[in-house]
Amino acid sequence: MFRKVCLSFAAVALSAALMAAPAFSKPVIIKFSHVVAENTPKGQMANKFRDLVNERLKGKVEVEVYPNSQLFGDNKVLEAMLLGDVQMAAPALSKFSRYTKKLQLFDLPFLFKDIASVDRFQQSDAGKGLLNSISKKGLIGLGYLHNGLKQLSSSKPLRVPADAKGLKFRIMSSDVLAAQFKAVKATPLKKPFSEVFTLLQTKAIDGQENTWSNIYSKKFFEVQPYITESNHGLLDYMVVTSAEFWQGLPEDVRAEVKKAMEEAIAFGNKVALEKSLDDKQKIIDSKRSEIITLTPEQRAQWVEVMKPVWKEFEAQVGKDMIDAAYGSNK
Ligand code: SIN
């Protein structure tokens, strides 16, 4: 209660300070924390947002970007945001389960055919509604950002689900992802992104799932001899801020920040599309990993084994939402 009163007071004070905006007053700092490298869709989006805000709201608002888990890992960032230690972040949709079960929808294996389908769903009323799914926890979803579809990397070639049996895979902190790997009789381990390279290098785990840009920028391909192009799941983000901070900004400043964020997201989405092709090609060119292309029959086996996970989570995410998301595939 005391914390809430203090935060509300801080929000009013922040708003009043910004409205007065005397030439000598200090700008409001937006710390944007993320876990990936700068040469990724999210890294590029955050830098674009910083550049736009710092240019357009010079003296009023200043964005500082902290990449590579420098400030907070994804497991801590939302807590830190509620305490006012960081103002913006864009965790993977798989990392919100402590705040809402609804976003688990996006983790269901083989739900989306491609990113265009993801986009159609996210921009629909049902998809936009999910941006509010964390509002009761004091957080506001400002928008979705794409990274791409996930691939399976491993120390062994994975062609059919039986090949994954008994292997250890790092996953993000998502029960759906845990169920997905249990479905193929593998062992899932929830670990922070910052630990993945070392876990793979030391062979503490056998594999992981990620997008081409994360596999490339974090050099996972250098320590994983095989990558199966499975496109079995989605890695997208929600850009979030705290309600206290957001509502504390004067309306005109908030509108400018929102506009800059929308432009930065559009830019990041363009980068995501480019990187899903370019980074894959760079991995192929490196000859460090063999890329395994599944035959339609092999792919059908993964779908058959993993798809029962949908039923397991239907009550938590809602059948209507699953139908709406799946219906966005054309
Ligand atoms: C990210 O892209 O933000 C991290 C994804 C992961 O934890 O695998």
Side-chain angles (χ1 to χ4, degrees):
M1 178 66 184
F2 175 71
R3 205 185 119 244
K4 216 170 163 106
V5 171
C6 286
L7 284 173
S8 302
F9 180 75
V12 172
L14 164 71
S15 188
L18 269 167
M19 267 189 283
F24 51 82
S25 71
K26 284 196 184 147
V28 169
I29 304 292
I30 297 181
K31 290 187 183 170
F32 191 129
S33 169
H34 68 81
V35 298
V36 290
E38 288 189 279
N39 60 340
T40 56
K42 182 160 57 180
Q44 295 284 298
M45 179 281 278
N47 289 355
K48 179 68 148 188
F49 173 67
R50 175 196 61 202
D51 295 348
L52 291 174
V53 170
N54 292 359
E55 186 195 313
R56 294 176 187 171
L57 290 164
K58 206 174 169 67
K60 286 186 176 178
V61 182
E62 202 173 301
V63 178
E64 296 171 357
V65 179
Y66 297 88
N68 292 311
S69 312
Q70 266 168 30
L71 199 57
F72 294 106
D74 273 339
N75 300 340
K76 289 270 176 292
V77 74
L78 296 177
E79 245 170 73
M81 189 171 282
L82 290 169
L83 292 170
D85 293 337
V86 61
Q87 287 68 42
M88 284 193 187
L93 292 165
S94 318
K95 295 179 179 172
F96 285 90
S97 59
R98 280 179 56 200
Y99 298 85
T100 175
K101 299 293 175 204
K102 298 281 174 211
L103 294 173
Q104 294 184 124
L105 170 74
F106 291 102
D107 279 340
L108 296 177
F110 297 105
L111 182 63
F112 295 106
K113 197 176 74 170
D114 51 27
I115 291 297
S117 307
V118 175
D119 210 54
R120 272 192 291 277
F121 174 69
Q122 289 177 347
Q123 299 316 318
S124 69
D125 287 348
K128 281 189 191 150
L130 287 174
L131 291 172
N132 300 323
S133 60
I134 47 174
S135 60
K136 281 201 188 111
K137 306 285 180 184
L139 297 167
I140 293 182
L142 295 177
Y144 295 106
L145 171 72
H146 299 313
N147 185 324
L149 296 179
K150 288 180 289 187
Q151 320 303 336
L152 286 168
S153 77
S154 172
S155 54
K156 300 201 175 121
L158 303 177
R159 293 192 172 84
V160 292
D163 296 333
K165 188 177 171 189
L167 301 185
K168 290 192 202 113
F169 287 89
R170 175 269 174 175
I171 55 164
M172 295 183 271
S173 53
S174 153
D175 291 345
V176 176
L177 300 180
Q180 169 194 276
F181 279 102
K182 284 183 191 155
V184 297
K185 299 191 170 33
T187 305
L189 295 162
K190 292 178 182 171
K191 295 283 179 190
F193 187 59
S194 55
E195 292 177 22
V196 181
F197 180 84
T198 306
L199 289 167
L200 293 171
Q201 191 184 36
T202 58
K203 303 200 184 331
I205 55 172
D206 303 293
Q208 63 87 46
E209 51 166 18
N210 233 304
T211 57
W212 292 114
S213 71
N214 278 350
I215 294 173
Y216 178 71
S217 61
K218 288 293 176 189
K219 303 189 190 307
F220 300 161
F221 70 101
E222 293 187 1
V223 287
Q224 290 275 264
Y226 301 99
I227 303 173
T228 300
E229 188 167 24
S230 49
N231 289 321
H232 64 281
L234 173 71
L235 172 50
D236 261 16
Y237 308 109
M238 189 190 282
V239 184
V240 278
T241 186
S242 82
E244 291 284 350
F245 173 75
W246 194 240
Q247 281 150 15
L249 294 173
E251 220 171 306
D252 58 333
V253 172
R254 190 163 60 226
E256 273 296 336
V257 173
K258 191 163 186 289
K259 186 164 168 283
M261 178 54 75
E262 282 161 7
E263 288 177 40
I265 285 177
F267 176 74
N269 284 343
K270 207 166 134 281
V271 173
L273 280 184
E274 287 161 10
K275 290 218 159 274
S276 65
L277 301 173
D278 295 356
D279 289 352
K280 175 182 164 188
Q281 192 55 48
K282 285 180 192 149
I283 293 171
I284 294 171
D285 294 346
S286 78
K287 298 191 168 52
R288 301 288 289 262
S289 281
E290 182 187 329
I291 314 284
I292 296 172
T293 308
L294 299 175
T295 64
E297 293 74 26
Q298 288 168 338
R299 194 162 195 280
Q301 284 194 44
W302 290 92
V303 176
E304 192 190 331
V305 177
M306 287 183 166
K307 216 166 155 189
V309 170
W310 291 21
K311 199 90 204 133
E312 217 180 299
F313 288 87
E314 194 178 277
Q316 289 181 39
V317 302
K319 181 162 178 353
D320 52 335
M321 294 302 280
I322 297 179
D323 290 345
Y326 191 60
S328 67
N329 295 311
K330 293 228 166 112

